[in-house]
């Protein structure tokens, strides 16, 4: 069997739509977060591999989980995360939840409705933030806000990549009922440009996703660690800006990703706003606009 690391796409933590253990995070927390990321990225790349047979994908994911739990030492990403968890007395639950999502990516190619999609996010996205919170020793009362933000990030990604996911993997996260209500055939996701009906459908989903960001608006102020709060504020700003792009652009033919320059600008503004809030004791700060 091919080694899991050989199936990596080459994408790293600096290529994501959101910061992963940026230098806002205290150095003592960055190592376990990066170990978690490397494990998850390896598993994600396996699930998204364009030519690997489905059964081999599942076998690879099962082997990663087995070694995460101590059965073997041949997969460096699994071994590194296993050791990082042991050093800090953390359970592998969040990584296992993500493996469940990646198995779903292999076996489940369509989603019926919004609730079905959120259920997927409960495995594919929410555990990422929960892990970071656990590493920081934060109260699990923060999980509700975390879950809303992480789901919003995941759904942003689904909408951004809806054409690519359909063309390359025949995978559709746009809910079936949303397409049917709009009178859109799933095959339209393979077009070079969205039809007016598909574009309206995608924009309605972006608006619905924006409501998740409303639910998570207080997240940064709920965490005790100031540096983590600043990181969350940055992630929130990125998510809001991408929602804004999705409400005004066609993801099949237009750029709906943030440039490096825009990411730096938003990061500086949002981190400074969160720092100022904490220094002045202000309960909340206005969120950055998602407008164009």
């Amino acid at each position: 069997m091919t080694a899991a690391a050989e199936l990596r796409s080459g994408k790293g933590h600096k290529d994501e739509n959101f910061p992963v253990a940026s230098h806002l995070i205290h150095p003592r927390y960055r190592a376990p977060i990066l170990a978690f990321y490397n494990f998850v990225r390896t598993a994600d790349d396996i699930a998204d591999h364009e030519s690997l047979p489905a059964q081999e994908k599942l076998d690879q994911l099962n082997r990663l989980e087995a070694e995460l739990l101590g059965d073997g030492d041949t997969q460096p990403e699994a071994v590194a995360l296993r050791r990082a968890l042991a050093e800090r007395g953390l359970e592998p639950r969040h990584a296992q939840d993500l493996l469940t999502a990646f198995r779903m990516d292999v076996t489940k190619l369509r989603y019926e409705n919004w609730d079905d999609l959120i259920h997927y996010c409960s495995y594919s996205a929410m555990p990422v933030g929960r892990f970071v919170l656990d590493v920081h020793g934060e109260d699990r009362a923060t999980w509700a806000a975390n879950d809303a933000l992480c789901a919003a990030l995941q759904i942003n990604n689904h909408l951004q990549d809806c054409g690519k996911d359909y063309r390359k993997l025949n995978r559709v996260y746009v809910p079936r009922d949303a397409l049917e209500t709009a009178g859109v055939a799933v095959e339209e996701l393979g077009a070079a440009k969205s039809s007016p009906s598909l574009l309206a459908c995608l924009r309605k989903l972006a608006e619905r996703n924006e409501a998740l960001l409303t639910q998570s608006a207080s997240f940064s102020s709920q965490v005790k660690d100031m540096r983590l709060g600043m990181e969350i504020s940055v992630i929130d700003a990125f998510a809001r800006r991408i929602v804004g792009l999705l409400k005004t652009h066609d993801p099949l033919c237009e750029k709906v990703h943030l440039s490096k320059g825009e990411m730096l600008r938003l990061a500086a503004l949002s981190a400074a706003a969160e720092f100022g809030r904490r220094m002045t004791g202000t309960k909340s700060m206005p969120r950055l606009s998602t407008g164009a």
Side-chain angles (χ1 to χ4, degrees), residues 35 38-39 42 63-70 72-85:
N38 285 328
F39 177 86
T42 300
R63 182 165 65 160
L64 280 173
E65 182 170 30
E67 297 208 6
L68 174 67
L69 299 179
D73 296 299
T74 67
Q75 305 301 306
E77 295 84 0
V79 174
L81 179 57
R82 185 177 78 210
R83 290 173 178 168
L85 295 175

Side-chain angles (χ1 to χ4, degrees), residues 91-226:
E91 297 296 321
R93 168 188 172 184
H94 303 310
Q96 289 179 282
D97 281 346
L98 283 153
L99 290 172
T100 295
F102 299 140
R103 293 185 184 103
M104 291 171 69
D105 284 337
V106 176
T107 61
K108 183 179 173 72
L109 300 179
R110 301 291 187 271
Y111 289 82
E112 292 300 319
N113 50 44
W114 184 263
D115 288 344
D116 198 15
L117 189 58
I118 293 296
H119 177 259
Y120 170 75
C121 291
S122 71
Y123 290 100
S124 69
M126 299 174 190
V128 177
R130 291 179 179 186
F131 176 78
V132 174
L133 291 166
D134 280 357
V135 167
H136 282 79
E138 295 286 344
D139 195 308
R140 294 193 176 185
T142 59
W143 279 17
N146 165 82
D147 292 355
L149 177 58
C150 289
L153 289 167
Q154 179 72 90
I155 294 169
N156 270 351
N157 185 254
H158 291 330
L159 297 177
Q160 288 172 293
D161 295 340
C162 60
K164 181 179 71 174
D165 286 339
Y166 175 72
R167 289 190 299 269
K168 294 187 175 182
L169 297 164
N170 188 31
R171 192 185 294 162
V172 179
Y173 296 102
V174 179
R176 194 190 305 271
D177 67 347
L179 291 171
E180 290 179 353
T181 298
V184 174
V186 69
E187 291 79 11
E188 291 188 37
L189 291 169
K193 180 180 180 180
S194 293
S195 66
S197 294
L198 175 57
L199 195 57
C201 173
L202 297 176
R203 288 178 178 177
K204 284 182 180 179
L205 291 169
E207 290 170 0
R208 191 163 189 181
N209 205 32
E210 194 168 33
L212 288 174
L213 293 174
T214 299
Q215 294 175 33
S216 67
S218 65
F219 186 19
S220 63
S221 64
Q222 290 181 26
V223 300
K224 296 177 181 178
D225 187 282
M226 182 175 72

